[in-house]
Amino acid sequence: MRESVQAEVMMSFLVSEELSFRIPVELRYETCDPYAVRLTFHLPGDAPVTWAFGRELLIDGVGRPCGEGDVHIAPVDSEVLGEVLIRLQVGGDQAMFRSSAPPLVAFLDRTDKLVPLGQEGALADFDAHLDEALDRILAEEQSAG
């Protein structure tokens, strides 16, 4: 069964130290991909852009700097649960976003209620077994018909 958690958060898109603007960002978590979260950025004048990365990275990044490669997440102030910076990079290009931490934490809490952290593997295995069973049923129906 495909279930999901969704939220919309307003984030600041940090163009430079002097320029930023607020944009809506859709957060999505689906049981069909239990290890990942998806953030869809709605930039004015552009098509929406979706990034998928590990749910655990977002959880960890709210409290401490983390991430390697294309995605880095860190609290603005490690002493206070206030704001979080999300840096996305492709080659030499990067985009920085600032979000209030409480909406991210609320979203992550909802994902944990759907699939508790550490239980993703059991769900992934269940989906794989379900897909195999459905493939067998379809193959049997086609050979019988």
Side-chain angles (χ1 to χ4, degrees), residues 19-133:
L19 178 63
S20 68
F21 54 92
R22 301 200 31 92
I23 62 166
V25 178
E26 178 187 330
L27 298 106
R28 186 167 188 82
Y29 175 79
E30 297 179 333
T31 56
C32 64
D33 190 3
Y35 292 101
V37 292
R38 286 174 172 65
L39 277 65
T40 301
F41 299 89
H42 297 274
L43 298 167
D46 284 332
V49 175
T50 300
W51 278 73
F53 51 86
R55 174 173 66 155
E56 197 166 347
L57 175 63
L58 186 57
I59 291 168
D60 292 344
V62 168
R64 63 177 175 79
C66 64
E68 295 180 16
D70 297 341
V71 180
H72 293 262
I73 304 173
V76 172
D77 181 351
S78 60
E79 301 296 317
V80 179
L81 182 63
E83 293 186 311
V84 176
L85 288 175
I86 300 172
R87 181 175 57 108
L88 307 173
Q89 187 166 342
V90 176
D93 296 328
Q94 71 174 7
M96 290 281 290
F97 300 90
R98 183 189 302 251
S99 175
S100 177
L104 297 178
V105 171
F107 168 76
L108 290 166
D109 184 54
R110 290 175 51 218
T111 71
D112 192 61
K113 287 182 174 124
L114 185 60
V115 179
L117 192 61
Q119 300 299 310
E120 300 92 347
L123 184 64
D125 291 343
F126 172 77
D127 285 346
H129 290 118
L130 181 60
D131 287 344
E132 290 172 13

